[in-house]
Amino acid sequence: MSEKPQIGFIGVGLMGQGMAKNLVEKGYPLTILGHRNRAPVEDLKGRGAKEAEDVAALTEASDVIFLCLPGSPQVEAVVGEILAAGASGKTIIDTSTSNPVSTRALVEKCRADGVTLIDAPLSRTPKEAWEGLLDAMVGASEADFDRVQPIIATWAGKIVRVGEPGAGHTMKLLNNFLSLGYAAIYSEALAIGAKNGLDAATFHSIIGGGRMDCGFYQTFMKWVVERDPDAHKFALKNAHKDMRYVVSLANESGIASHVSSAVKNNFATADATGHGEEYLPRIADIVAELNGIKHETGS
């Protein structure tokens, strides 16, 4: 084994490509799994990564395996393949936004096979992934956190151990509940304003720079006001998935989910009406359209 652990990476999509790029450029031997979209795979190979033909080959080549997948069903399937390949002594780090109920079950399944599963979901955007400035919420024992923290630091600027395995995914869902809740509130507020003669640009001139401003608000409104299609690259179908996980976790915890269910229904509507592949700020237009409104940007 080389001085640095051998890294495997499964899921080199919008977020994963930047993360994997930082791993290989900062000296970690990297093996990636092939992807239907060949552009990020070829880019990473050009930077020194190797490509594995399947999960078993990647598992054999790796000491630490990162997952950056759409959700728990995909994570469960891939972890099953990793364990079937014989992974005793290896570490899996799931950076996906997964259901903590599923994560806790996988932790026990991995432990029984001598494998360590750590959850380290992400916050921020593909831009920060490329720059190595993501936020990571890590669920791990203190010893495991100390061991993997230098690896995570290749692609994260802020790394916080939030508790034992499963706690990272819990914190990530709460983070997304807040942000997606704001998206739903912004959208409804903009629709009410538009119906009463206040366009989006006027709304933004008051809220922007005030106490209710924040980074999330800025990227959201960059679409609403400026029509920047790349302002916030997060698909509405993933927002719907994350809110389903939030409501499921609330139900599992015996918590009344009045607000989270209402937020979830906004994104369920967007997904069901054919907008799932579109990016998050489009929810403002969808809410407006459902109310017979077309937003005027003032430009």
Side-chain angles (χ1 to χ4, degrees):
M1 187 189 303
S2 63
E3 182 180 346
K4 290 185 176 180
Q6 301 278 338
I7 306 297
F9 205 108
I10 301 176
V12 290
L14 276 176
M15 299 294 278
Q17 182 185 1
M19 296 161 67
K21 186 267 294 188
N22 281 291
L23 281 159
V24 73
E25 288 189 345
K26 291 171 184 174
Y28 283 88
L30 180 68
T31 302
I32 59 175
L33 191 66
H35 194 275
R36 286 193 305 274
N37 180 3
R38 295 302 301 172
V41 175
E42 297 303 329
D43 173 76
L44 291 166
K45 287 169 65 177
R47 297 173 190 273
K50 297 178 181 178
E51 181 180 1
E53 62 182 14
D54 55 28
V55 173
L58 182 140
T59 300
E60 184 178 358
S62 307
D63 303 309
V64 177
I65 302 169
F66 282 94
L67 308 180
C68 191
L69 299 170
S72 286
Q74 294 81 8
V75 171
E76 291 167 4
V78 170
V79 169
E81 290 186 60
I82 291 171
L83 297 182
S88 180
K90 299 179 187 290
T91 298
I92 301 170
I93 303 178
D94 181 17
T95 69
S96 320
T97 301
S98 299
N99 188 331
V101 177
S102 169
T103 301
R104 289 192 288 264
L106 284 177
V107 167
E108 295 306 318
K109 186 176 182 180
C110 287
R111 187 173 291 138
D113 279 12
V115 175
T116 299
L117 177 64
I118 291 168
D119 50 319
L122 321 166
S123 182
R124 306 190 80 178
T125 72
K127 176 179 180 290
E128 286 80 31
W130 197 259
E131 295 169 349
L133 295 174
L134 290 171
D135 298 341
M137 299 152 251
V138 184
S141 70
E142 290 187 8
D144 285 333
F145 177 77
D146 290 342
R147 179 168 57 86
V148 303
Q149 192 272 345
I151 308 174
I152 295 173
T154 61
W155 48 258
K158 179 180 180 180
I159 307 168
V160 180
R161 177 182 176 265
V162 295
E164 295 297 315
H169 284 144
T170 299
M171 187 64 236
K172 171 60 174 175
L173 288 186
L174 297 179
N175 177 86
N176 282 19
F177 177 24
L178 292 178
S179 62
L180 297 174
Y182 272 120
I185 291 171
Y186 299 155
S187 300
E188 192 164 316
L190 286 161
I192 295 168
K195 203 73 167 181
N196 289 276
L198 290 176
D199 65 21
T202 301
F203 178 94
H204 186 45
S205 72
I206 298 301
I207 304 301
R211 291 189 65 192
M212 296 306 297
D213 197 354
C214 63
F216 179 87
Y217 172 84
Q218 287 294 329
T219 55
F220 191 91
M221 295 303 291
K222 199 167 181 61
W223 162 258
V224 174
V225 176
E226 299 178 28
R227 281 336 208 204
D228 179 350
D230 297 321
H232 196 123
K233 292 183 175 181
F234 183 70
L236 286 166
K237 67 179 182 181
N238 289 332
H240 181 202
K241 179 264 295 182
D242 290 355
M243 287 310 306
R244 291 200 307 273
Y245 288 172
V246 171
V247 173
S248 173
L249 185 61
N251 292 341
E252 182 82 14
S253 307
I255 300 295
S257 59
H258 302 299
V259 176
S260 57
S261 291
V263 174
K264 185 267 292 181
N265 287 340
N266 274 267
F267 296 102
T269 300
D271 205 358
T273 52
H275 298 284
E277 299 292 339
E278 297 171 16
Y279 290 147
L280 177 63
R282 267 282 286 143
I283 190 69
D285 297 344
I286 295 164
V287 169
E289 289 160 10
L290 289 170
N291 285 284
I293 298 162
K294 179 174 175 58
H295 278 312
E296 299 295 338
T297 65
S299 58

